[in-house]
Amino acid sequence: MRLHRLKVTAFGPFAEPQEIDFDALSGAGVFLLHGPTGAGKTSVLDAVCYALYASVPGVRQNPGNSLRSDHAAPETPTEVTLELTAGGRRLEITRRPEQDRPKKRGTGTTKDKAQSWLREYDGENWTALSRSHQEIGEEVEQLLGMSRDQFCQVVLLPQGEFAQFLRAGAEARGRLLGRLFDTRRFAAVETLLAERRRAAEAKVRAGDEKVLHTAQRLAQAAGDCADLRSWPLPRHQPGDPGLAEAIRAWAAVARCAARERLTVAEYALAAVESRYAAARRAAEDARELDRLQRRHAETTRRAALFAEAAPERERVRALLDRARRGALVAPALELRGAAAGAHLTAAHAESLARAELPPALAEAGTEQLATVEQRLREELGAVGAAQRAEQRSAEIGRERATLDRESRDADEQHQESAEWLARWDATRTALVARADAAQQAATLAEQLAGRLEPARMHLSAARRRDALAADAEAASGDLLAVREESTAARERWLELKETRLRGIAAELAAALVAGEPCTVCGSAEHPEPARPAPGHVDRAAEDAAHARFEQAEERRATVERRLAAVREAESEAAAAAGDATTAELLARSADLSARHAAAHADAAGLHAARERLARAEQEHAARSADRLDAERRAAARASRREALEREQASLEAELVLVRGDAPSVAARARILEDRIRMVTGAAASLRRAETTAARLKEADDQLADAAFKAGFDTTDAAADAVLPEYERTALQHRLDSWQAEEAMLADRRGESETAAAATLPPADPHTAEAHADAAAARLRTAGSAVDAARVRCAELDRLSRQAEQELRALGPLREAYDRVARLAGLTAGTSADNERKMRLESYVLAARLEQVAAAATVRLLRMSGGRYTLVHSDARASGRGRSGLGLHVMDAWTGIERDTATLSGGETFFASLALALGLADVVTDETGGMRLDTLFIDEGFGSLDDQALDEVLDVLDSLRERDRSVGIVSHVADLRTRVQAQLEIVKQRGGSIVRHRTGGLRG
C-alpha cells in the first residue's frame, strides 16, 4: 500500500482546502512531519485513517469529538480525499462525515448525511466504483487485509503504546496482540468449551437431583412398609457411584412389603362385607315399619281437624259468591268515581279563573269572553308595529352619542398632532446629528481594532520572550552543572575501569579451580595465582560507576534538549515581538485599548440612533396623512348627525299616540298580553267544567243499570259487595285446599298396610341404623386399606421403572461431562495436563509474540550496535498471571537476560521502534502479505542522543531497500537539519495550513 495524495477541507484544524503530496515527500525515503503543539500533525494521520475506514484512531473515535473545523465557513463542507495504490490498483476515496449546513431557504441549519465515493484510475481515466459506505469499507479491508485497529498499529506506529507494551504485564500484552491478530476465535473456543462443561455439569447434577427426587418419592410412596432407619439414601450425594445400587436394592424391598400388605387387606375386606349386608337389611325393615305407623297417626289427626272446620267452609262459599256478583259492577263504579273527580277539579279551576276577571266579566259566558279576546289581540298587533319604531328611536340616540364621542376624540388627536408637527424640524435635526456622530465613532473604533490586535500579539510575544530568556538562562546554568557532573562521573568510571584492568589478573585467579585448565594460558596447574592488591575494584563497582555516568549523560541530554527548545521558542517569540521593549508595547497597547473602548462606547448607539430617526420620519408621514383624513371624517359626522335628528323627531310624534298612559310601548304591550292570557284561561276553565258535568251524569246512569242487572237493590249495596282481586283469590285457594284435603283422607282410609302396621308394637329405626352405620364404617376402613395397598404397589412399580430409566439415561451424561471437562480444563490452563497453565488464546499469542520478537531483533541489533536482542519468554507466571507472554531483552555486553522495564529512555525508544516495525512485518504476513510502502512513526525521538539518533535514522533509511517511505512525526529540532524532506503544519488564527519542503537525505 502506497499513499500518493491527501486533500482535506474543513477537517480538524484545517479550515481551507490543504493538499499533501506524499509522492514528493516519499522520494527521499524518510520525511519529517512537524509543527507546534495543536497545529494538526496528528490530524493528518486522522485524515488518512478516516478516508480508509470512515473513523479516526483510538480515543479520538468519540461521538462527542467533531471532525469539522471550527474555523471553516458554514457553507464549506468537511471532506477528505485520499489517493493510494493497493493490490496493484490506484484508487481515490472521498468521504464526508455527517454535518450541519445552512438551509438553502430560510434561516437555521439542516443535517447532511455522511457520504462516500470510490474511484479507480485505469491509466487514462477515473472510473466511479461505488457510493455505498458498506461496499467501500469491504473493498478497503479486502485490499489492505487489515482492520482499522491493525492499520493504526501497523501503518501509524504509536510509539507510546509500544513503550508501554515493553513494560506492560502479560495481560496488557495479550489485549494488544489479541486486537492485532484477531484471536477471538481461540478465546471463543475457550468460552465455548467452558460453557459446554458448565452445561454438561448442570445436566449431570440435574440428572442426579432427578434420581434423588424419584428416590424420595419412592420413600413417600412406601410409607411404613420398610424400615427407614436402614435406608442408605440420605448418606449419598449427586455424583456418588453407589447411588444407583442403593436405590435399586431399597425399591425391591419396598415393593415386596407392599404386596404382603395388599394380600392381608383383601382377606379382611371379604369378612366385613357379609356382616355389613345383614345390618343394612335390618335397618331398612325398621325404617319402613316406622313410616307406616306414623302415616296412620297423621291421617287420624287430620280427619278430626277437617270435621271441625265445616261451618267456616260454608261462610267462605257464601262470601265468595257475593264477591263474584260485585265484580260485575266494579267497572261502572270506577268510571263514575273518575268522572266525579274530574268534574270537581274543573269546577274549582272555573271559580279561580272568574275571580281574576274584572267585575264586568264575572258572569260572562264563553261567547262573550271570546269576543273580548279578539278585540285585545287586534290592539296588541298595533302596539307591535309601534314597538319597532321605539327601538329604532333608541338606536338613533345611541348613534348620536357615538358621533359626539368620536368628534371629541378627533379634536383632541388633531390638537396633539398639530403640536408634534410644529416641533418636527428641530427633532429631525437633532436625530441626524446624533446618527452622524455615532457613525464617525464606529469608523474610528474599527480602525483602532485593526491596530489593537497586532499590538496585543506583539505584547504577548514580548512577555513570552522575556520569560523564555529567563528560562534559557536558568537552563544554561543547569546545563553547566550537569555537564560538570557528567564529566566527573565519566572520569570516575574510566578511573575505576583502568584500576580494574590493572588488577584483572587477581579477578581471573579468583575463578581458578584446582585441576581445571586456566582460561588464559590453558594450564591445569596454578602454582602462584595473583592476589588482589589493596583497593581492588571489582566488576560490580565498575558497573555502578558506569550506570551513574549513563544517568548523568541522560540528565545532560535532557537539559540540552530543554535548552534548545527554550532557545528556539525564545527566537520565535523575539521575531514576533520585534525590537520594542515590553514596557513600550504595554503602554502602546494600553493607549490603543483605552481609545478603542471610548470609540466603541460612542459607536454603540449608532444602530439605535438610525432606528430612532427612521421611526420619527415614519411617524411624521403618518401624522400628516392622519390630519387630512380626520378633516374628511369630521364633515361626514356632521352630515350624519343632522339626518338622525330629523328621523328621531318623526318617530317620537308617532309613539306618543300609541303609548297612551303606559311609560313605553313595551309596557303597553305587556299589559295587553296579560289581559289576553287572563281572558283565554277563564274561557278554557268554563268549557272544561261544562264537559266534566256531562260526563258525570252519564256515569251515574251506567252504574244504576249495572247494579240492577247483578241482583243488587241499590248502588251502595253493589259497592259494598265488591272485593279486591287478591281477597277473592285467597278465598278460592282456601276452598281448593279443603277439597284436596278431603280427597287425600278418603285415599288413606283405604290403605290396608297402614292399618296392619298400626296393630304392631312401635318400631325402633334409630337403633337399627346405628348398627348399620357401624358396619359401614368398618367396611370403609377395610376398603380404604385395600385401595391404599393397591395404589402403593402401583406407585412403587411406576417409580421403580422411572428410577431405572433415569439411572440408564444418566450414564451417557457422565461420560460426556468427563470428556468436555478435560478439554475445557486443558484450554483454560487449569488442567494438570497443561504444565505451564497456559490458555489456548495465550498459546497462540505466544507464538505470534515469538515471531514479533524475532522480527524486531533484526533491527534492534543494528540500532543498539549489536548489544540488545529481544527474547520471548514462556515461563510460567506467578499467582493467577497469564503465562507465555513474557518479553525480555538479552544484553550482549553482560550476557544477562533482563526485563524490558530496565531499559533507559533512549533504549526503550529504539526497542519499541524495532518492536513496532517487527510487528508491522508480522501483521503484514499474517494478513496475506500486503506490501506496506508508507509508514508513520509518532514521536519519541527526543529521548535519543546524537549517536542513537543516527543509528535509528540509518535503520529507517534501510527501509528504502524495500521501497518504503517513512514519515516521522516529531517536535525534535535536530531532525529538521537531518531530514530534508519535510511537511510543516503552520498554526494560524484562521486555521492551520501545510507547507512542503523536499530535498536530499540527512547529512
Side-chain angles (χ1 to χ4, degrees), residues 57-60 149-150 152-154 156-168 172-173 175-177 179-180 887 908-909 911-913 915-916 919 938-940:
V59 297
R60 297 188 295 278
D149 290 339
Q150 290 176 322
C152 294
Q153 293 289 345
V154 173
L156 313 179
L157 301 180
Q159 290 303 292
E161 283 195 19
F162 283 98
Q164 296 176 7
F165 182 81
L166 281 173
R167 298 186 175 92
R173 288 196 185 108
R175 285 193 295 271
L176 176 60
L177 293 173
R179 191 169 69 245
L180 292 179
L887 192 63
T908 298
F909 169 74
S912 63
L913 177 58
L915 185 65
L919 183 63
D938 192 0
E939 291 300 344

Side-chain angles (χ1 to χ4, degrees), residues 632-665:
R632 291 193 297 270
R633 289 197 299 271
R637 282 195 298 271
S639 176
R640 179 60 178 167
R641 184 184 297 106
E642 293 176 357
L644 291 176
E645 289 175 353
R646 290 193 298 271
E647 182 180 1
Q648 189 175 24
S650 176
L651 291 174
E652 285 296 327
E654 296 177 2
L655 292 175
V656 170
L657 300 176
V658 176
R659 282 197 295 264
D661 298 335
S664 65
V665 174

Side-chain angles (χ1 to χ4, degrees), residues 558-696:
T558 301
V559 174
E560 285 180 348
R561 288 192 297 272
R562 178 161 60 87
L563 178 59
V566 170
R567 284 178 175 171
E568 182 180 0
E570 181 186 4
S571 299
E572 294 178 356
D579 299 332
T581 64
T582 303
E584 292 173 351
L585 293 175
L586 178 61
R588 185 185 306 168
S589 177
D591 178 61
L592 289 175
S593 297
R595 292 169 60 193
H596 175 265
H600 188 271
D602 294 338
L606 174 60
H607 181 69
R610 288 177 176 175
E611 286 189 347
R612 284 196 295 271
L613 177 59
R615 287 197 301 269
E617 290 177 346
Q618 292 175 358
E619 185 176 0
H620 175 264
R623 286 179 178 270
S624 299
D626 289 344
R627 181 172 59 181
L628 297 177
D629 187 56
E631 292 174 355
R632 291 193 297 270
R633 289 197 299 271
R637 282 195 298 271
S639 176
R640 179 60 178 167
R641 184 184 297 106
E642 293 176 357
L644 291 176
E645 289 175 353
R646 290 193 298 271
E647 182 180 1
Q648 189 175 24
S650 176
L651 291 174
E652 285 296 327
E654 296 177 2
L655 292 175
V656 170
L657 300 176
V658 176
R659 282 197 295 264
D661 298 335
S664 65
V665 174
R668 179 62 178 173
R670 287 193 296 272
I671 293 172
L672 293 176
E673 288 172 353
D674 292 341
R675 291 178 180 177
I676 292 172
R677 193 164 42 251
M678 178 180 60
V679 172
T680 303
S685 298
L686 181 58
R687 285 192 293 272
R688 281 195 299 272
E690 293 175 350
T691 302
T692 54
R695 290 178 180 174
L696 178 60

Side-chain angles (χ1 to χ4, degrees), residues 513-581:
V513 178
E516 294 184 0
C518 175
T519 58
V520 178
C521 64
S523 174
E525 298 179 359
H526 318 296
E528 295 181 0
R531 295 289 184 269
H536 175 71
V537 177
D538 58 4
R539 185 182 181 88
E542 181 188 354
D543 290 344
H546 183 263
R548 287 192 292 273
F549 167 63
E550 288 184 340
Q551 292 173 358
E553 280 293 296
E554 289 181 2
R555 288 194 292 274
R556 180 189 61 79
T558 301
V559 174
E560 285 180 348
R561 288 192 297 272
R562 178 161 60 87
L563 178 59
V566 170
R567 284 178 175 171
E568 182 180 0
E570 181 186 4
S571 299
E572 294 178 356
D579 299 332
T581 64

Side-chain angles (χ1 to χ4, degrees), residues 138-198:
E138 293 174 354
E139 185 75 15
V140 169
E141 287 206 17
Q142 182 177 0
L143 287 173
L144 300 184
M146 290 182 287
S147 65
R148 182 188 65 117
D149 290 339
Q150 290 176 322
F151 179 84
C152 294
Q153 293 289 345
V154 173
V155 179
L156 313 179
L157 301 180
Q159 290 303 292
E161 283 195 19
F162 283 98
Q164 296 176 7
F165 182 81
L166 281 173
R167 298 186 175 92
E171 291 295 333
R173 288 196 185 108
R175 285 193 295 271
L176 176 60
L177 293 173
R179 191 169 69 245
L180 292 179
F181 294 104
D182 193 12
T183 57
R184 290 176 294 179
R185 58 188 184 279
F186 302 104
V189 170
E190 297 177 23
T191 304
L192 177 62
L193 288 174
E195 291 177 353
R196 288 187 176 180
R197 180 187 60 189
R198 289 192 293 270

